[in-house]
Amino acid sequence: MSQQLSEQELVRRESLKKLRDLGINPYPQALYPVNALSKDIKANYEEGKKVIIAGRLMSRRIQGKASFAELQDSEGRIQVYFNRDEICPGDDSTLYNEVYKKLLDIGDFVGIEGVLFKTQVGEISVRVTNFSLLSKSLKPLPLPKTDSEGKVHDAFTDPEQRYRQRYADLVVNPHVKDVFVKRTRLFNAMREFFNTRGYMEVETPVLQPIPGGAAARPFVTHHNALDIPLYMRIANELYLKRLIVGGFEGVYEFSKNFRNEGMDRTHNPEFTAMEIYVAYKDYHWMMEFTEQLLEHCALAVNGTTKATFDGKEIDFKAPYNRVTMRQSIIDFTGFDIAGKSEEELKSWCIQNGIEVDDTMGKGKLIDEIFGEKCEGNYIQPTFIIDYPKEMSPLCKEHRDDPSLTERFELMVCGKEIANAYTELNDPIDQKERFEHQLELAQKGDVEATEFIDYDFLRALEYGMPPTSGLGIGIDRLVMFLTNNPSIQEVLFFPQMKPEKQGLILSDAEKTILDIVKSKSKIDLSELKNAAGLSGKQWDKGMKGLNKNGLIRVEMEGDQKYCVLQD
RNA sequence: GACUUGGUAGCUCAGCUGGUAGAGCAUAUCACUUUUAAUGAUAGGGUCCUGGGUUCGAGCCCCAGCCAGGUCACCA
């Protein structure tokens, strides 16, 4: 398969060949004995120190027999100084004039042995005594430039290209790389927080026969040997609880979840949640645990508990406010939901411009009111507690009010980032709740869960200790901690529609097509002669063109003609 | 799903009421031994997202589609 190469790509391929002709392997096998990183060199500068560094060549300023370049490694960039007489002590200046000046390009990986010094303008640099090509780059990178005032020109900003070619994005946009460094720091901080408390990181199935633990549309796949459908997990909650049944007293998992729903600025088909379950605790304990966890994480990621998101400063310093859902609705609307019937709630909604429909029960109506009138107002981290029972099928009934559950959600900047319960461990109650969900689903509530996980119920029948569980949307938390309003910015490879493949023709196909184009209809054997291709190439070319619907072979009596298709 | 903005050179972006397609950087050639958005000179480089239509003539106008961003709706 051939592809259209740009002028610059052709030049680089030509350089590749010339390097080989000079006996230089552009993709050498041997390890390169790197012993220094750009960042450390700058931090612990020692005049005259010998170093061996490696990285990508990212800029060059050639001035005749001397040249400055920038080498970029995992930690940043450092200036390197190439001097012809230094590199080529004898008469043969090929290494400098040809290899360095002409055959190397921006983007190439090179290894450099050199000596540290400061230039006349005071920039820490490496005087190159020897260099070797480590890997040739054949495709020109986008090339943002930073001027003396720190302003970036020609920045690589097109989101489509950046997401589709994240590798290029990461090479040229250090601030993008930084987001992912912070993302990993967050994972590490959480693990450390849990591990020091004795909780255990576990793994549970991604392929599940019953997708449980959340209300969401799953991806379905099929296991051939078992000949059964399997679902990609939408949550790991039910599996972690089985482990609590099994005797672990604290388990957590960073869970890749998959939901077959719409995509937008805040939803990717696969996303990461962290769930943790701790035995003998309740949701009050979990609130304290959560605020301490987030304070710890914010500090570990950014060095401060404060973070800016969407122009607002938020502070993850514990403790956070706790507001009941009932009180929240009173605060923002003056309406008290306590003791109200479904009819009363519904008519209030209609009067206040909230859309309702017949599938909505009390819980759903209350949730709508909260979502519409309250949610967006919580900028600083705030626990909203005590949710209606109907919308929390896995959560234990409230100790003081049977219409409520012991549940909290943590709101930040008007968005939910954590959800926690005093977990329901009464197997009979749990079964009834599942059955109720099933009824709702059959009534047409798309949010209700339509599977009953009897194995999970069996586990509960053996007995699960009182337990509190917490789920945190990791991607969302990273968004808050790195001030990114889009989930795509915090995922290395956000899901995208497949790139459109332009029709790519082989050389043989092109040759044949050109001839057919010039005649529009041509005798087949005449065409074959004109193309001058080998039998095999001819056959391949014709088949390819036919398959792509570009040409057609027609019979007129004994004569075969090739016709251009449009 | 609705609305909206965009898709032009390797990258960032211009483009006239519709008349042969432009800049900077990058690339190539030359000059230049401590520069730093290096500099100076010269040159090459384009299926203007795709497909239709209107027109003597379309990058530009019209229609349809593809991809992406944003807003909203839906959804945790």
Side-chain angles (χ1 to χ4, degrees):
Chain A
M1 192 150 64
S2 73
Q3 58 195 107
Q4 210 59 45
L5 294 176
S6 68
E7 182 195 26
Q8 294 190 49
E9 289 171 303
L10 290 170
V11 167
R12 287 184 181 216
R13 278 168 163 75
E14 190 58 31
S15 300
L16 190 74
K17 190 172 167 292
K18 285 183 186 156
L19 285 162
R20 288 204 162 105
D21 291 345
L22 285 168
I24 295 169
N25 180 356
Y27 302 105
Q29 292 82 355
L31 73 77
Y32 191 77
V34 176
N35 67 10
L37 287 173
S38 60
K39 194 176 162 191
D40 302 330
I41 289 172
K42 287 181 187 168
N44 312 301
Y45 174 72
E46 276 179 63
E47 180 92 30
K49 188 183 179 189
K50 285 185 181 170
V51 294
I52 304 176
I53 55 177
R56 267 188 208 274
L57 204 58
M58 291 304 285
S59 74
R60 282 201 294 179
R61 295 177 286 279
I62 294 175
Q63 316 165 56
K65 299 176 186 68
S67 168
F68 290 93
E70 280 177 298
L71 198 75
Q72 175 170 301
D73 64 18
S74 62
E75 298 293 337
R77 292 185 184 186
I78 184 145
Q79 179 167 271
V80 292
Y81 174 67
F82 286 83
N83 183 305
R84 190 195 70 185
D85 299 334
E86 192 105 19
I87 296 164
C88 311
D91 290 338
D92 181 8
S93 52
T94 310
L95 196 58
Y96 181 79
N97 283 341
E98 286 301 312
V99 178
Y100 170 71
K101 272 170 71 176
K102 296 201 174 160
L103 302 180
L104 288 195
D105 291 288
I106 288 173
D108 288 353
F109 282 90
V110 291
I112 282 173
E113 294 169 49
V115 179
L116 302 191
F117 77 109
K118 279 189 185 171
T119 62
Q120 286 179 354
V121 266
E123 177 148 351
I124 292 172
S125 309
V126 178
R127 182 186 293 109
V128 180
T129 50
N130 200 4
F131 74 95
S132 40
L133 176 60
L134 301 179
S135 179
K136 182 83 190 140
S137 160
L138 293 181
K139 203 170 179 61
L141 284 164
L143 209 88
K145 287 208 163 187
T146 310
D147 67 18
S148 47
E149 289 152 20
K151 242 170 66 183
V152 178
H153 301 257
D154 300 337
F156 184 49
T157 52
D158 176 32
E160 177 168 8
Q161 290 205 72
R162 286 181 46 237
Y163 302 152
R164 286 194 196 280
Q165 303 186 41
R166 183 67 93 184
Y167 32 86
D169 189 25
L170 290 165
V171 172
V172 304
N173 286 326
H175 60 279
V176 171
K177 196 169 170 185
D178 192 49
V179 169
F180 293 98
V181 170
K182 286 183 170 175
R183 185 179 171 113
T184 295
R185 260 190 230 148
L186 174 67
F187 279 81
N188 292 342
M190 278 200 179
R191 286 202 166 95
E192 183 206 337
F193 191 87
F194 298 147
N195 291 345
T196 56
R197 283 160 181 74
Y199 306 139
M200 195 169 85
E201 183 166 9
V202 297
E203 291 184 285
T204 64
V206 172
L207 288 176
Q208 305 180 350
I210 292 172
R217 281 177 64 193
F219 286 92
V220 193
T221 184
H222 184 262
H223 191 280
N224 290 340
L226 296 177
D227 193 23
I228 53 166
L230 285 175
Y231 302 87
M232 317 252 319
R233 77 170 156 208
I234 55 175
N236 56 352
E237 170 154 1
L238 302 187
Y239 283 94
L240 292 181
K241 285 185 188 168
R242 285 171 169 98
L243 297 179
I244 298 293
V245 169
F248 292 106
E249 292 183 1
V251 288
Y252 70 94
E253 180 177 18
F254 289 96
S255 167
K256 254 308 172 62
N257 296 337
F258 306 84
R259 297 189 180 175
N260 203 343
E261 293 168 347
M263 290 165 58
D264 61 28
R265 206 169 77 266
T266 56
H267 295 85
N268 195 63
E270 58 183 292
F271 64 98
T272 305
M274 190 294 304
E275 292 200 29
I276 181 166
Y277 291 79
V278 185
Y280 311 117
K281 310 298 186 193
D282 64 6
Y283 78 139
H284 291 296
W285 178 89
M286 190 58 89
M287 270 188 268
E288 277 178 42
F289 183 78
T290 303
E291 58 198 10
Q292 277 160 25
L293 170 70
L294 291 185
E295 179 180 322
H296 170 82
C297 290
L299 262 172
V301 169
N302 286 324
T304 163
T305 60
K306 293 192 169 70
T308 305
F309 183 78
D310 196 20
K312 300 174 190 97
E313 185 173 273
I314 46 188
D315 193 344
F316 285 98
K317 179 124 191 77
Y320 308 153
N321 277 337
R322 291 140 165 80
V323 184
T324 64
M325 186 166 256
R326 175 185 168 204
Q327 187 60 47
S328 175
I329 292 173
I330 291 172
D331 289 347
F332 289 104
T333 69
F335 180 61
D336 188 354
I337 56 172
K340 294 289 189 295
S341 70
E342 190 174 314
E343 285 315 307
E344 286 171 307
L345 291 169
K346 196 170 273 183
S347 67
W348 190 91
C349 281
I350 293 165
Q351 279 166 31
N352 288 273
I354 297 171
E355 281 186 44
V356 294
D357 65 61
D358 292 342
T359 67
M360 288 178 171
K362 271 174 77 170
K364 192 75 201 281
L365 289 166
I366 292 167
D367 188 49
E368 285 294 319
I369 297 171
F370 177 76
E372 198 72 26
K373 305 288 183 190
C374 311
E375 196 173 57
N377 296 302
Y378 296 103
I379 303 305
Q380 294 306 318
T382 307
F383 292 116
I384 304 299
I385 66 175
D386 300 346
Y387 280 63
K389 195 169 177 181
E390 192 174 319
M391 36 181 315
S392 312
L394 296 160
C395 185
K396 196 178 267 187
E397 187 176 290
H398 197 280
R399 60 195 78 178
D400 301 325
D401 182 345
S403 73
L404 301 177
T405 52
E406 297 203 349
R407 172 180 183 182
F408 73 78
E409 288 194 355
L410 179 62
M411 311 299 300
V412 177
C413 271
K415 304 246 163 52
E416 170 221 334
I417 62 167
N419 183 15
Y421 307 145
T422 301
E423 300 295 338
L424 178 58
N425 60 349
D426 174 345
I428 294 171
D429 188 357
Q430 181 68 82
K431 182 158 185 262
E432 284 168 2
R433 302 255 206 119
F434 277 160
E435 283 163 356
H436 183 55
Q437 285 288 307
L438 199 62
E439 278 170 34
L440 288 177
Q442 281 160 357
K443 244 170 60 181
D445 184 344
V446 287
E447 279 187 50
T449 312
E450 51 183 323
F451 297 92
I452 294 184
D453 189 337
Y454 288 103
D455 176 70
F456 174 66
L457 291 172
R458 178 167 61 191
L460 288 191
E461 285 170 8
Y462 281 112
M464 182 172 88
T467 297
S468 185
L470 164 74
I472 293 180
I474 295 291
D475 307 300
R476 239 175 228 187
L477 185 54
V478 177
M479 287 162 67
F480 284 127
L481 291 175
T482 60
N483 194 18
N484 274 305
S486 157
I487 195 171
Q488 297 165 106
E489 293 291 350
V490 305
L491 301 172
F492 270 129
F493 303 105
Q495 197 57 245
M496 305 281 278
K497 283 204 185 181
E499 255 178 298
K500 188 179 58 179
Q501 284 278 347
L503 205 51
I504 295 166
L505 299 178
S506 70
D507 290 342
E509 286 166 354
K510 270 187 225 154
T511 309
I512 298 169
L513 193 63
D514 284 349
I515 299 165
V516 181
K517 267 183 181 165
S518 65
K519 308 261 175 155
S520 90
K521 180 175 177 183
I522 183 170
D523 178 75
L524 205 58
S525 50
E526 190 187 332
L527 175 61
K528 188 174 177 184
N529 282 333
L533 293 163
S534 70
K536 194 168 181 179
Q537 283 295 313
W538 160 254
D539 190 54
K540 261 190 156 177
M542 286 301 287
K543 278 181 180 157
L545 288 170
N546 235 318
K547 200 170 144 199
N548 288 322
L550 292 169
I551 57 159
R552 192 178 56 221
V553 176
E554 283 182 357
M555 301 277 289
E556 283 180 24
D558 290 344
Q559 288 286 88
K560 282 183 189 166
Y561 288 96
C562 185
V563 187
L564 198 61
Q565 194 92 301
D566 44 13

